[in-house]
Amino acid sequence: MSELLTLADVSVNYGAVTALKGISFAVPEGQIITLIGANGAGKSTTLNAIMGLAPARSGCISFQGKPITNTKTHLVVRQGIALCPEGRRIFLNLSVDENLKIGGFVTKSKEKREEAREEVLTLFPRLKERLKQTGGTLSGGEQQMLAIARSMMQTPRLLLLDEPSLGLAPNLVDEIFEKIRFLNQQGRTILLVEQNAYHAIRLANYSHVLEQGEIVLSGTSKELLENPQVKAAYLGG
């Protein structure tokens, strides 16, 4: 199985604070890889480093075998990586349809844009019912669906999801994770950052535990769900 994305000994500083301390892992094509950990562990920083939003002090990030370390964000997007950020960050004053159009702006082919739009509206039928509704009037769950759909409009080879279940009711959390599973079954490669460790580990092919900017534990779903350290720290014992 080919590795779509690799991080090798990547470190990131915010001023005098070291947020990532030489982390290394790979995202094989067609899989879901998840990063779990407490607030401040370095999960979002990892995604931001991949996207060129947080400059790497050292190490190498490669996508499809080519270095992209500290590449400008718009160029990372053009290479086929999309980020669905923490907190959704949709355009609240624009309609659902306008949000989707902005997401598809980097996709040059009109045919591919139309295919992507049909795909996301099939995946999230509630968005289809609310195309003319402004983003700010959607529920939290609908806004998260729109954020994912907007990212998918970029037709990415790799989708980065940052805390997609944050602030959602339990029934909506289940729905969002089912949508992520479906996307993967359709061939999407996904790197997932998530505080809901139980859902994330169960969903992923492989998981990494981040603590204070370091990967301290890695394993398959079965291995981590049965690990006493993970149970105590992230799964409520």
Side-chain angles (χ1 to χ4, degrees):
M1 187 176 297
S2 62
E3 294 176 347
L4 190 61
L5 177 81
T6 59
L7 280 74
D9 200 28
V10 174
S11 296
V12 173
N13 283 18
Y14 292 127
V17 177
T18 302
L20 291 181
K21 304 172 183 177
I23 67 167
S24 301
F25 68 91
V27 181
E29 190 157 17
Q31 291 199 355
I32 299 177
I33 304 299
T34 188
L35 305 178
I36 65 169
N39 279 333
K43 305 185 305 297
S44 294
T45 297
T46 302
L47 300 189
N48 288 337
I50 295 167
M51 296 301 301
L53 296 167
R57 179 174 56 84
S58 61
C60 181
I61 303 171
S62 298
F63 181 63
Q64 301 183 86
K66 299 178 181 179
I68 60 167
T69 316
N70 295 335
T71 297
K72 292 182 179 180
T73 303
H74 70 283
L75 298 177
V76 174
V77 171
R78 287 179 183 172
Q79 290 190 50
I81 304 178
L83 170 65
C84 181
E86 180 182 356
R88 300 150 200 164
R89 300 187 193 177
I90 62 169
F91 296 97
L92 299 176
N93 294 326
L94 298 182
S95 69
V96 168
D97 200 24
E98 288 167 334
N99 270 272
L100 294 178
K101 287 177 180 177
I102 289 173
F105 181 75
V106 297
T107 305
K108 299 301 182 184
S109 167
K110 181 180 179 181
E111 183 179 354
K112 286 187 177 180
R113 287 198 303 270
E114 290 175 350
E115 287 176 358
R117 187 174 185 275
E118 185 63 31
E119 179 185 6
V120 299
L121 293 180
T122 300
L123 181 64
F124 299 114
R126 269 184 278 181
L127 297 181
K128 191 171 186 177
E129 298 168 1
R130 292 160 172 75
L131 283 174
K132 301 305 179 185
Q133 195 169 325
T134 56
T137 64
L138 301 177
S139 69
E142 290 164 350
Q143 288 187 8
Q144 186 61 67
M145 293 174 191
L146 178 55
I148 296 173
R150 184 183 61 187
S151 300
M152 292 302 301
M153 286 294 297
Q154 298 173 28
T155 63
R157 288 199 65 185
L158 174 63
L159 178 61
L160 312 182
L161 296 174
D162 195 353
E163 303 284 7
S165 76
L166 187 66
L168 300 185
N171 63 315
L172 290 175
V173 171
D174 291 339
E175 183 175 356
I176 290 295
F177 275 97
E178 280 305 311
K179 300 297 188 184
I180 296 170
R181 186 188 304 277
F182 179 80
L183 284 172
N184 178 246
Q185 289 171 344
Q186 298 302 303
R188 301 291 182 181
T189 305
I190 296 169
L191 177 57
L192 170 67
V193 158
E194 182 57 57
Q195 278 193 298
N196 191 322
Y198 178 71
H199 274 84
I201 293 171
R202 286 184 66 230
L203 183 67
N205 298 100
Y206 206 80
S207 301
H208 303 283
V209 181
L210 272 170
E211 290 183 4
Q212 297 181 335
E214 297 181 276
I215 293 177
V216 297
L217 193 64
S218 301
T220 63
S221 296
K222 187 176 189 299
E223 289 168 343
L224 291 192
L225 289 173
E226 294 177 355
N227 184 287
Q229 180 183 345
V230 173
K231 283 183 178 180
Y234 302 106
L235 305 178

